[in-house]
Amino acid sequence: MFAIIVGTHGLFTKELVRSCEMICGEQKNVRAVTLVPGEGPDDVVKKYEEAIKELDCSGGVLFLNDLFGGSPYNAACRLVIANEAYGIVTGVNLPMLIEMCSAQMMDEGLSIQELMEKAAEAGKTGMQFFHASQIADDDEDEDDDLA
C-alpha cells in the first residue's frame, strides 16, 4: 500500500483531509502536514518523517502539495530525492485527494510514477467551469435539431 501525505501552507491540508473523509470515510494511511507561521522547511521535513513512521509506506509515498516551489514542496523534495518510491504532485485539490484515496483502497499495484500521473489527471479533470452562456448555446443547438 502506498501512503499519502498532504502538505500545505496553513491549515488547508487538515481541512482538505477532513473534507475527503466526509466523502470517502476515515482514511488510515493519509496524513495532513502543515506549515504554520514561524516554521520552515526543516520543521516540515521532521513532520513528514514522523508521518512516514506512522504510515504503511510499503508501496511508496505520494506527497500532495499545494504550491510548486513552496516550503512544503521543498521539504518533500528533500525526502523524494533519496527514495525512488516517493513522488510529489503539486496543486492538490479535493478531486485529486479523493481519487488517490480510492486508488489506495483499490491497491492496483501502480508505480509511484503511475500514481503521480493519475493524481495530476484527477486534479485537472476535477476543475470545470460553468457560465450562463453555455445554457443559451445548448438551447439554440436543441432548436436546430428540431427544425
Side-chain angles (χ1 to χ4, degrees):
M1 174 177 277
F2 70 97
I4 300 169
I5 300 177
V6 185
T8 69
H9 294 81
L11 301 179
F12 174 53
T13 188
K14 287 185 178 185
E15 294 305 320
L16 188 61
V17 170
R18 284 178 52 173
S19 294
C20 178
E21 288 182 332
M22 284 177 59
I23 297 166
C24 299
E26 183 182 359
Q27 299 300 305
K28 296 185 188 310
N29 212 38
V30 176
R31 289 295 178 277
V33 172
T34 61
L35 169 71
V36 295
E39 292 181 332
D42 290 339
D43 299 301
V44 180
V45 168
K46 288 177 188 169
K47 291 179 183 183
Y48 285 156
E49 290 171 338
E50 289 171 18
I52 288 168
K53 288 177 188 173
E54 298 171 359
L55 297 168
D56 176 356
C57 302
S58 57
V61 177
L62 182 62
F63 292 90
L64 302 178
N65 294 126
D66 52 359
L67 294 173
F68 175 79
S71 292
Y73 169 82
N74 292 336
C77 284
R78 289 166 53 182
L79 299 172
V80 170
I81 197 75
N83 194 322
E84 289 190 21
Y86 293 5
I88 305 169
V89 178
T90 62
V92 65
N93 59 27
L94 189 54
M96 179 189 296
L97 182 56
I98 290 170
E99 181 69 23
M100 290 300 91
C101 288
S102 295
Q104 196 182 55
M105 288 188 304
M106 306 242 326
D107 197 14
E108 299 171 329
L110 299 175
S111 72
I112 196 68
Q113 291 88 356
E114 291 168 322
L115 290 167
M116 291 165 56
E117 289 171 15
K118 191 171 188 160
E121 184 62 28
K124 290 176 192 173
T125 59
M127 294 186 301
Q128 300 292 319
F129 59 91
F130 175 79
H131 187 264
S133 65
Q134 292 171 288
I135 293 173
D137 290 344
D138 289 344
D139 289 344
E140 288 175 17
D141 289 343
E142 287 177 19
D143 290 340
D144 291 342
D145 292 339
L146 297 175

